[in-house]
Amino acid sequence: MMKTPAEDEPLELLDDARAAFDAGRALVDAGQHRAAIGKLQAAAQNAPLRAAALYLTGECFQRIGAESAAAIAFQQAAVSGPGDDDKRLLYESARALQEQGRHTEAADRFETLLAWDATYQDAWKHHEYCRTRADSPSTAPDAVRQDSPQSPSILVRDLEARGLLGNSDSRIAAYDALFYVQFDHTGLHDSAKKRLELVQLLTAIGDVSAVATSLDVGSGTLRYPQVLDRYGVRSYGIDLSDAGIRVCVDDQWARRFAVADGTEMPFRDGSFDLVTCMMGTVNHLSGAQRERFLAESFRTLRPGGLLVVSGWDPACRFQTFLSFYSPTEMAQLRGRLSDPEDLRAECAAAGFGDVRTTPFCTFPDWQVTGAGAAGTDADHLARLAELDRDRAAQDPTIAGQMFLLSARR
């Protein structure tokens, strides 16, 4: 169905924007990236074309070596709202939930879609149908969902019960507040990425009770050691600096932290059941450093131990990283990303087996905001985690903003 122009957006403007977009794309195809930028920026003034035009603008800036400008354009594209493909996928996922009888979840996704495009197909009709049935006990999500012990919903509820999702007695929340106030950002998108990473980590571990000891490399403020401690894991962290724990962590945790390099770990062979390196820390390492880090992880893990690494995926077309990176830092980081398949090969070369990668945060930042419009933090996170799971199941080649790699010693 063709989108109806808004009352304050004349058809001539839509036509002009489309003509500018088509001209810009033709210039991109011809390799005239500087000339294309102006056309694409003009097209980006039109809401339906904004995300696609800004993304192409970012690619043009990247091609001419203007990395900071490219990072800004990519970030603007990610928060500008859904394009046609995004809206179609959101509509289809909502319809699938409706057909499964998961009416509350379906209604929430229809509302996310309608917030961005109130004229999309027959979304209003399906939304009304789902809302009228959302409170029926026979069709409540928990009554029909096929949850496994490690399903996203169960993991999220467990995290909520342990006080690990929102503001709690943990100093983690204090660090987040300090960090985001410093960078003048509320942290909504960043918090979602960190929590989705946590869900992926717990999914990869499986039976946390089987993990006696863990080490987090690049631990910063000991976020993951503090989380795993709630599960009874004796957990430790190392980082190149102790600034994070000095400012943000209770003194009792100082005994669980060491200033050390992940490429030269000060631990005996076979010391840990689990070694983690999270939130893209691995992307700050050079190829030689990654080789030494993997060798040290292999050495310090017990036989059968698990290595878990998360990274930013260079194949993601709406990649924005964390909001507190400056445009220059984003540009530098974008140039250091490792392809998931390359990292898998490096792990295998280091001696690891059963190497797996899983995409997560398979949606742009705008969907984090939209999906969070209703419901509690746990409901919000569960929906996003299930969306990740469903998309990865439907398309094993999909690229998310991040991926999680797990490997066995």
Side-chain angles (χ1 to χ4, degrees):
M1 175 182 292
M2 183 174 293
K3 188 179 186 301
T4 303
E7 290 182 358
D8 60 347
E9 190 172 31
L11 186 59
E12 298 81 40
L13 178 58
L14 291 176
D15 290 341
D16 289 346
R18 171 57 65 180
F21 181 82
D22 290 342
R25 187 162 53 184
L27 288 168
V28 170
D29 293 341
Q32 299 180 43
H33 298 103
R34 291 180 183 275
I37 289 171
K39 297 289 187 183
L40 293 169
Q41 287 180 332
Q45 302 306 308
N46 176 255
L49 297 172
R50 185 169 297 135
L54 286 170
Y55 183 78
L56 279 176
T57 301
E59 288 192 327
C60 289
F61 277 125
Q62 205 168 39
R63 291 293 184 89
I64 65 175
E67 293 290 352
S68 295
I72 293 171
F74 285 134
Q75 187 172 34
Q76 288 175 332
V79 300
S80 64
D84 290 339
D85 289 343
D86 296 314
K87 288 188 284 190
R88 176 180 56 78
L89 288 172
L90 194 58
Y91 176 83
E92 290 175 354
S93 69
R95 291 284 287 119
L97 288 170
Q98 180 182 353
E99 291 172 2
Q100 295 169 26
R102 296 163 61 176
H103 295 110
T104 299
E105 297 166 274
D108 286 341
R109 291 198 189 172
F110 280 124
E111 285 179 11
T112 301
L113 172 61
L114 290 167
W116 294 100
D117 186 350
T119 65
Y120 194 84
Q121 295 192 28
D122 53 358
W124 275 117
K125 179 185 72 175
H126 290 296
H127 170 263
E128 183 177 1
Y129 176 88
C130 292
R131 270 289 170 240
T132 60
R133 288 157 178 78
D135 297 326
S136 170
S138 62
T139 59
D142 290 340
V144 298
R145 183 181 298 137
Q146 300 297 313
D147 275 335
S148 68
Q150 290 299 317
S151 75
S153 292
I154 289 179
L155 284 174
V156 169
R157 297 304 172 192
D158 186 45
L159 290 169
E160 183 182 36
R162 294 173 188 267
L164 292 170
L165 288 189
N167 292 331
S168 66
D169 58 351
S170 168
R171 294 292 296 275
I172 299 170
Y175 167 76
D176 284 350
L178 174 65
F179 210 60
Y180 294 138
V181 167
Q182 178 183 357
F183 287 92
D184 194 26
H185 193 280
T186 59
L188 177 60
H189 303 133
D190 299 342
S191 295
K193 292 169 189 176
K194 290 191 294 183
R195 292 170 182 173
L196 288 170
E197 181 190 61
L198 176 55
V199 170
Q200 291 296 328
L201 171 62
L202 294 175
T203 301
I205 294 173
D207 183 7
V208 184
S209 66
V211 179
T213 57
S214 71
L215 173 68
D216 188 38
V217 177
S219 200
T221 60
L222 291 174
R223 176 172 178 261
Y224 273 108
Q226 291 184 74
V227 167
L228 291 172
D229 181 73
R230 299 285 188 92
Y231 287 85
V233 179
R234 189 162 183 80
S235 48
Y236 301 85
I238 62 173
D239 205 305
L240 294 174
S241 169
D242 65 351
I245 67 163
R246 283 192 288 106
V247 175
C248 306
V249 180
D250 293 331
D251 291 342
Q252 65 178 352
W253 279 95
R255 298 188 302 273
R256 301 282 192 92
F257 178 86
V259 175
D261 193 331
T263 65
E264 194 174 351
M265 300 183 195
F267 304 104
R268 296 187 182 92
D269 295 358
S271 295
F272 303 105
D273 299 305
L274 171 68
V275 172
T276 59
C277 184
M278 308 303 287
M279 197 44 65
T281 299
V282 71
N283 296 132
H284 294 268
L285 304 179
S286 67
Q289 288 172 324
R290 284 198 308 275
E291 183 178 359
R292 293 197 297 273
F293 160 69
L294 292 172
E296 284 290 271
S297 298
F298 190 88
R299 180 184 67 78
T300 55
L301 278 168
R302 298 185 178 113
L306 182 68
L307 171 68
V308 178
V309 175
S310 75
W312 302 98
D313 195 332
C316 181
R317 66 181 179 84
F318 42 79
Q319 181 60 265
T320 53
F321 307 109
L322 296 176
S323 66
F324 48 72
Y325 287 128
S326 71
T328 300
E329 290 169 333
M330 289 184 188
Q332 292 172 346
L333 185 56
R334 193 179 297 278
R336 299 175 68 102
L337 300 186
S338 298
D339 182 86
E341 289 303 313
D342 291 341
L343 195 55
R344 283 169 60 100
E346 292 174 3
C347 281
F352 286 97
D354 192 22
V355 185
R356 306 179 183 184
T357 56
T358 304
F360 66 96
C361 201
T362 56
F363 33 78
D365 288 357
W366 67 261
Q367 197 157 345
V368 175
T369 306
T376 67
D377 286 345
D379 290 335
H380 173 197
L381 181 62
R383 286 196 296 272
L384 294 176
E386 289 185 352
L387 184 58
D388 272 338
R389 179 196 58 189
D390 294 346
R391 286 187 169 181
Q394 293 170 9
D395 181 8
T397 66
I398 193 170
Q401 295 202 46
M402 303 193 75
F403 66 91
L404 186 122
L405 176 145
S406 64
R408 289 282 177 187
R409 187 202 189 293

